[in-house]
């Protein structure tokens, strides 16, 4: 087996260039789905796909498929890829390593003169991040049939722009129902990604072979009190909506610790206070809560406890309380065959690997519902992600792309 001769300098240069398509000054990256920066980044990637002689199509949601045709294009393809949208003021490696690394893996195999039996398809999913419409993995949810196309088109952003109008403006026409993958479309799917945690770096391992992907449940709780002037309403007469919300943030942590396990995480990450003035008693507060685990029953046990505490706190403080579960996706187990291909590839290339779970969720979470799926993690410095300081070394990227190329060889050559 020839060692995949990855052109790491090329990949790193392309990552740097892609980061320049941003609505924030470097080193921060802000690239919200279908913004001008995102559309410019897509054009840049289209040029790279063309140079690699890939056949490109884009679905009605804006997900891009770049295909290297195999000897038998009628067989289900092997797919790889990730996303290129970026939350505000984040870094340049989240998702992009999987797209540009996937492209480099294909170019590396092409340069060897090797030809896959199955076609290899590089997928750039639209809107993995929930920044614009509040729905993470919008493209892959549509692809696997977990989001109703009419509901997706009706989503509106903070400016009131519907997804149907936004995608039409970007040139992505057609019925969203056509984005759904045909049964058996992919023989396997494997996603290269930075870990977004510190475990690989701490262990000194180059490669993480992901065995399971945790899934989130997202809860929205709104408390409505009476508000009033901060100086004029006496303490005994107040119905401060922030008080039950504050108690709820503590209850979220307690529920995860008391009713979850080592892999359970729960976060009260968003509090919206109205009217949000220092001299006004909060009259309405909305809290959004994220609960994740790879064990569905345990995750839902924590979710039930948080919902119960949210209602109790509202009653205790005399508040009108609204509780809504925005989503409760099931976790995914990775395919044993794909895990084995990743581990065997790492071993053949003398890269130390370890099995691990993904606590962040990715498009792979949804692809696992329609194809045998796996993920390859590479270390990122300090485990930092979603911040400008996010960094993956050239050495880490080199190892990840090598292992991805060899994994694709194993999966697409049989």
């Amino acid at each position: 087996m020839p060692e995949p001769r990855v052109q790491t300098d090329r990949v790193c240069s392309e990552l740097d260039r892609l980061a320049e398509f941003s609505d924030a000054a470097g080193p921060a990256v802000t690239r919200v789905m279908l913004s001008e920066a995102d559309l410019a980044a897509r054009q840049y990637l289209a040029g790279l796909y063309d140079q690699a002689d890939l056949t490109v199509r884009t679905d009605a949601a804006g997900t891009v498929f770049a295909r290297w045709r195999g000897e038998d294009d009628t067989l289900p393809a092997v797919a790889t890829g990730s996303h290129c949208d970026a939350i505000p003021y984040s870094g340049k490696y989240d998702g992009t390593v999987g797209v540009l690394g996937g492209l480099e893996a294909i170019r590396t195999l092409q340069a060897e003169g090797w030809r896959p039996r199955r076609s290899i398809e590089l997928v750039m999913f639209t809107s993995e991040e929930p920044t614009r419409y509040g729905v993470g993995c919008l493209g892959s949810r549509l692809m696997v049939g977990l989001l109703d196309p009419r509901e997706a088109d009706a989503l509106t952003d903070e400016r009131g722009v519907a997804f149907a109008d936004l995608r039409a403006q970007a040139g992505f026409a057609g019925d969203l129902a056509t984005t759904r993958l045909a049964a058996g479309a992919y023989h396997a799917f494997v996603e290269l990604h930075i870990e977004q945690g510190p475990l690989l770096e701490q262990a000194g391992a180059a490669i993480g072979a992901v065995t399971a992907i945790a899934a989130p449940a997202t809860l929205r709780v709104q408390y409505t009190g009476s508000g009033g002037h901060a100086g004029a309403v006496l303490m005994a007469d107040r119905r401060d909506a922030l008080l039950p919300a504050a108690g709820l943030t503590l209850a979220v942590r307690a529920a995860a610790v008391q009713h979850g396990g080592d892999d359970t995480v729960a976060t009260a990450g968003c509090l919206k206070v109205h009217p949000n003035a220092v001299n006004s008693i909060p009259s309405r507060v909305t809290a959004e809560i994220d609960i994740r685990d790879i064990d569905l029953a345990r995750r839902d046990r924590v979710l039930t406890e948080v919902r119960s505490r949210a209602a109790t706190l509202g009653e205790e403080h005399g508040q009108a309380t609204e509780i809504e579960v925005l989503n409760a996706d099931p976790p995914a187990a990775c395919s044993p065959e794909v895990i084995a291909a990743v581990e065997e590839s790492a071993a053949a290339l003398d890269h130390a690997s370890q099995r691990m779970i993904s606590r962040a969720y990715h498009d792979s979470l949804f692809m696992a519902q329609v194809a045998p799926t796996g993920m390859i993690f590479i270390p990122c410095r300090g485990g930092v992600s979603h911040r400008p300081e996010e960094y993956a070394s050239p050495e880490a990227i080199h190892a990840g792309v090598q292992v991805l190329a060899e994994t694709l060889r194993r999966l697409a050559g049989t």
Side-chain angles (χ1 to χ4, degrees):
M1 180 197 74
E3 179 177 304
R5 301 189 65 178
V6 174
Q7 293 191 36
T8 309
D9 289 346
R10 174 169 61 182
V11 184
C12 291
S13 175
E14 290 168 351
L15 284 165
D16 290 342
R17 179 70 182 108
L18 188 60
E20 294 175 6
F21 299 101
S22 170
D23 289 320
V29 178
T30 297
R31 194 164 49 241
V32 176
M33 182 263 289
L34 299 190
S35 63
E36 288 186 12
D38 184 44
L39 293 173
R42 288 164 174 265
Q43 282 296 112
Y44 170 67
L45 291 169
L48 298 180
Y49 299 155
D50 184 62
Q51 292 171 21
D53 293 325
L54 304 182
T55 303
V56 178
R57 70 177 179 89
T58 304
D59 74 11
T63 294
V64 181
F65 305 81
R67 194 177 187 93
W68 180 22
R69 296 194 182 279
E71 293 176 350
D72 189 348
D73 197 34
T74 65
L75 292 172
V78 171
T80 187
S82 195
H83 66 99
C84 282
D85 61 319
I87 67 168
Y89 303 101
S90 62
K92 65 181 178 182
Y93 300 93
D94 176 9
T96 56
V97 166
V99 175
L100 287 170
L103 175 61
E104 181 60 22
I106 290 172
R107 292 184 301 207
T108 300
L109 294 170
Q110 287 175 332
E112 290 179 8
W114 181 78
R115 179 87 185 277
R117 179 166 176 250
R118 299 176 182 273
S119 295
I120 296 177
E121 192 150 76
L122 175 61
V123 185
M124 192 201 78
F125 296 94
T126 203
S127 194
E128 192 266 359
E129 305 289 4
T131 309
R132 186 148 204 165
Y133 288 108
V135 179
C137 299
L138 178 60
S140 55
R141 286 179 191 271
L142 285 164
M143 286 168 63
V144 304
L146 285 181
L147 179 60
D148 184 280
R150 292 167 298 181
E151 292 179 5
D153 262 340
L155 293 169
T156 56
D157 64 14
E158 290 184 351
R159 297 180 300 157
V161 178
F163 181 50
D165 296 328
L166 183 70
R167 66 185 183 88
Q169 293 167 14
F172 305 138
D175 188 343
L176 283 182
T178 62
T179 63
R180 185 160 184 179
L181 289 173
Y186 289 133
H187 174 68
F189 176 79
V190 56
E191 180 174 6
L192 174 65
H193 208 283
I194 60 171
E195 181 194 346
Q196 298 180 288
L199 300 183
L200 285 174
E201 185 179 60
Q202 291 172 358
I207 298 295
V210 176
T211 59
I213 306 167
T218 307
L219 190 69
R220 178 182 291 153
V221 180
Q222 181 172 286
Y223 294 113
T224 303
S226 57
H229 194 288
V233 181
L234 297 177
M235 301 306 287
D237 299 326
R238 296 188 178 203
R239 290 176 56 236
D240 184 338
L242 187 54
L243 296 182
L248 182 59
T249 63
L250 298 175
V252 167
R253 175 179 174 82
V257 172
Q258 295 169 13
H259 299 277
D262 290 342
D263 294 319
T264 312
V265 291
T267 308
C270 182
L271 285 179
K272 298 177 182 177
V273 180
H274 180 81
N276 200 33
V278 69
N279 61 344
S280 184
I281 301 165
S283 60
R284 185 175 66 252
V285 175
T286 303
E288 292 184 359
I289 297 152
D290 181 294
I291 304 167
R292 306 186 187 204
D293 205 326
I294 58 169
D295 184 302
L296 180 61
R298 192 167 57 200
R299 195 275 313 275
D300 286 350
R301 187 166 65 240
V302 174
L303 174 63
T304 298
E305 175 64 15
V306 171
R307 292 184 69 175
S308 175
R309 287 295 296 143
T312 300
L313 285 161
E315 292 174 4
E316 290 174 351
H317 290 274
Q319 308 279 317
T321 306
E322 297 178 25
I323 302 173
E324 179 184 6
V325 177
L326 301 181
N327 63 272
D329 299 306
C334 292
S335 159
E337 292 77 15
V338 179
I339 295 169
V342 171
E343 291 181 323
E344 290 165 5
S345 298
L349 294 162
D350 292 324
H351 293 309
S353 69
Q354 67 178 41
R355 291 193 172 193
M356 61 195 311
I357 67 169
S358 174
R359 289 179 172 83
Y361 78 102
H362 309 273
D363 291 297
S364 290
L365 176 70
F366 301 99
M367 294 302 291
Q369 299 200 18
V370 295
T373 293
M375 294 190 73
I376 300 169
F377 275 176
I378 60 172
C380 53
R381 186 170 59 195
V384 170
S385 184
H386 282 193
R387 284 164 40 190
E389 300 90 341
E390 180 180 273
Y391 177 75
S393 70
E395 295 78 14
I397 293 169
H398 180 84
V401 176
Q402 275 195 321
V403 172
L404 175 60
E406 180 55 27
T407 300
L408 292 175
R409 189 201 310 271
R410 292 168 185 264
L411 295 172
T414 58

